[in-house]
Amino acid sequence: MVVDRIFSGIQPTGTPHLGNYLGAIQNWVNLQEEYSSVLYSIMDMHSLTMPKEPALLRQNILDTTAAILACGIDPKKCFLFRQSLVPEHAELAWILGCITNVPRLLRLPQWKMKRASQSNGGTVGLLTYPVLQAADILLYKSTHVPVGEDQVLHLELAQDIAQHFNKKYGEFFPVPKAILSTTKKIKSLRDPTVKMSKSDTQKLATVNIVDSPDEIVLKFRKAVTDFTSEVTYDPASRPGVSNLVSIHSAVSGLSIEEVLHQSVGLDTAHYKMVVAESVIQKFAPIRNEIKKLQEDKAHLIQVLEAGAEKAKELATPIYQEIRRLVGFQ
């Protein structure tokens, strides 16, 4: 019997930014209430595709864990664990890599984009991490994966790998379906044509969920809009103000239409402060909870280790059957 099962992961980049929260974590909180089997992973193995200092990685793992717990992820309602504590992820990635064609990986846009930032022309890990993503999902026979627009192609690869495996070894993996985020992609406050990113060199471009109220106000005050003062929603011709409307809608729970109705008569300068205040109110309790959790590293480590034990219990019989199917035992 196929059990509806959610799998999703987040790279440990420290405390998430506004785009991470609205695009992924807020959705995770809702999904843990809707599904009985939910796994969320801190993807520390994936983080090695871009160079990291070990001490920074260790701290980022704990900070990311504190942040998603503070945002409402409940280890009693899901398995929250660190990817590298379940070695079957890497073992299955090898098996799946042996049935995946290199040209398919070379066509993925993230490979083309990220390899440009590496002086050596790109590593094997950077090329093959989408296969590890497929293993992350399939190891638990996951049926649904919440994804953003930029990860759809990687999920399609996982779907194709599952079908290829099933054709070669017999029906085994469910083909995972995408759960697309309903939140509009959150853009940079300094360049609303690109998505908000932690790696953005412009400090005013990205709102972090631990930013102080003063920092949030400054970033929204400096947000790039245009020379029209009216608040409207037209991402094609007015990307800056439309990004503010998307943020306001997502943090307030109001529809785009409701946000626009409330903003009649406001010019964009005043509207920026309305959006900033909504974000401040949303993040104030989360920021306070993050600070409390960061003071108890032992608790954060225990949460991840307990989650990994549960994940291993689920993964072990599935992986043992995979070993049998491919001829390892």
Side-chain angles (χ1 to χ4, degrees), residues 194-319:
V194 300
K195 73 175 185 176
M196 188 174 285
S197 171
K198 193 146 191 143
S199 60
D200 199 313
T201 55
Q202 297 189 73
K203 291 183 179 180
L204 297 178
T206 302
V207 177
N208 297 301
I209 62 176
V210 291
D211 281 349
S212 70
D214 286 347
E215 288 172 319
I216 293 172
V217 166
L218 175 63
K219 289 177 179 181
F220 277 100
R221 182 181 292 130
K222 297 288 188 180
V224 170
T225 50
D226 53 37
F227 297 109
T228 303
S229 63
E230 186 183 2
V231 178
T232 62
Y233 185 76
D234 185 351
S237 61
R238 301 193 70 199
V241 72
S242 298
N243 187 41
L244 297 180
V245 172
S246 293
I247 292 169
H248 190 188
S249 170
V251 298
S252 66
L254 299 171
S255 68
I256 297 290
E257 292 73 20
E258 288 170 325
V259 165
L260 292 175
H261 181 71
Q262 287 187 1
S263 307
V264 171
L266 285 178
D267 60 31
T268 51
H270 287 94
Y271 182 62
K272 288 177 181 180
M273 294 303 96
V274 171
V275 180
E277 186 56 36
S278 294
V279 172
I280 290 166
Q281 289 182 9
K282 184 75 172 180
F283 284 162
I286 294 173
R287 189 174 69 252
N288 293 337
E289 184 64 18
I290 287 173
K291 288 178 181 175
K292 281 170 44 182
L293 288 165
Q294 285 175 327
E295 292 171 1
D296 192 350
K297 289 187 177 181
H299 170 67
L300 298 175
I301 292 169
Q302 188 276 327
V303 166
L304 294 177
E305 290 180 346
E309 284 301 312
K310 293 176 184 176
K312 279 182 70 70
E313 286 177 18
L314 183 59
T316 297
I318 295 172
Y319 186 63

Side-chain angles (χ1 to χ4, degrees), residues 10-279:
I10 187 170
Q11 286 207 32
T13 56
T15 50
H17 58 68
L18 177 64
N20 299 142
Y21 175 78
L22 296 176
I25 299 171
Q26 189 170 243
N27 194 30
W28 282 16
V29 175
N30 296 332
L31 290 171
Q32 73 180 0
E33 305 295 337
E34 297 171 18
Y35 288 80
S36 60
S37 183
V38 180
L39 296 97
Y40 295 139
S41 182
I42 308 294
M43 304 301 233
D44 52 351
M45 293 170 68
H46 285 292
S47 71
L48 294 182
T49 58
M50 304 302 280
K52 296 282 188 306
E53 287 296 325
L56 178 62
L57 177 56
R58 290 186 198 101
Q59 188 59 50
N60 280 352
I61 289 167
L62 296 179
D63 287 344
T64 302
T65 304
I68 61 178
L69 290 172
C71 288
I73 296 300
D74 184 351
K76 295 186 179 70
K77 297 177 179 177
C78 65
F79 296 174
L80 176 62
F81 67 101
R82 188 153 57 89
Q83 179 190 26
S84 65
L85 292 178
V86 185
E88 288 86 351
H89 284 254
E91 294 179 31
L92 179 56
W94 177 259
I95 293 171
L96 300 182
C98 291
I99 61 171
T100 303
N101 295 325
V102 171
R104 177 71 184 275
L105 300 179
L106 291 172
R107 288 196 299 270
L108 292 171
Q110 296 228 6
W111 160 251
K112 296 175 183 177
M113 179 179 68
K114 290 186 177 181
R115 67 178 291 215
S117 67
Q118 296 191 346
S119 58
N120 55 13
T123 63
V124 173
L126 186 61
L127 176 65
T128 61
Y129 88 88
V131 180
L132 178 56
Q133 283 184 322
D136 298 331
I137 296 163
L138 299 178
L139 178 60
Y140 303 98
K141 289 192 167 182
S142 307
T143 58
H144 296 80
V145 183
V147 290
E149 295 170 22
D150 54 349
Q151 288 294 324
V152 168
L153 289 177
H154 286 187
L155 181 59
E156 288 177 356
L157 176 68
Q159 293 167 336
D160 290 348
I161 290 174
Q163 290 170 329
H164 192 173
F165 186 96
N166 291 346
K167 186 176 181 180
K168 185 176 178 67
Y169 297 109
E171 287 298 319
F172 185 74
F173 291 122
V175 178
K177 298 184 176 76
I179 300 177
L180 289 170
S181 173
T182 56
T183 302
K184 307 292 183 186
K185 188 181 289 186
I186 303 304
K187 307 290 189 176
S188 161
L189 294 185
R190 298 301 298 161
D191 179 1
T193 64
V194 300
K195 73 175 185 176
M196 188 174 285
S197 171
K198 193 146 191 143
S199 60
D200 199 313
T201 55
Q202 297 189 73
K203 291 183 179 180
L204 297 178
T206 302
V207 177
N208 297 301
I209 62 176
V210 291
D211 281 349
S212 70
D214 286 347
E215 288 172 319
I216 293 172
V217 166
L218 175 63
K219 289 177 179 181
F220 277 100
R221 182 181 292 130
K222 297 288 188 180
V224 170
T225 50
D226 53 37
F227 297 109
T228 303
S229 63
E230 186 183 2
V231 178
T232 62
Y233 185 76
D234 185 351
S237 61
R238 301 193 70 199
V241 72
S242 298
N243 187 41
L244 297 180
V245 172
S246 293
I247 292 169
H248 190 188
S249 170
V251 298
S252 66
L254 299 171
S255 68
I256 297 290
E257 292 73 20
E258 288 170 325
V259 165
L260 292 175
H261 181 71
Q262 287 187 1
S263 307
V264 171
L266 285 178
D267 60 31
T268 51
H270 287 94
Y271 182 62
K272 288 177 181 180
M273 294 303 96
V274 171
V275 180
E277 186 56 36
S278 294
V279 172

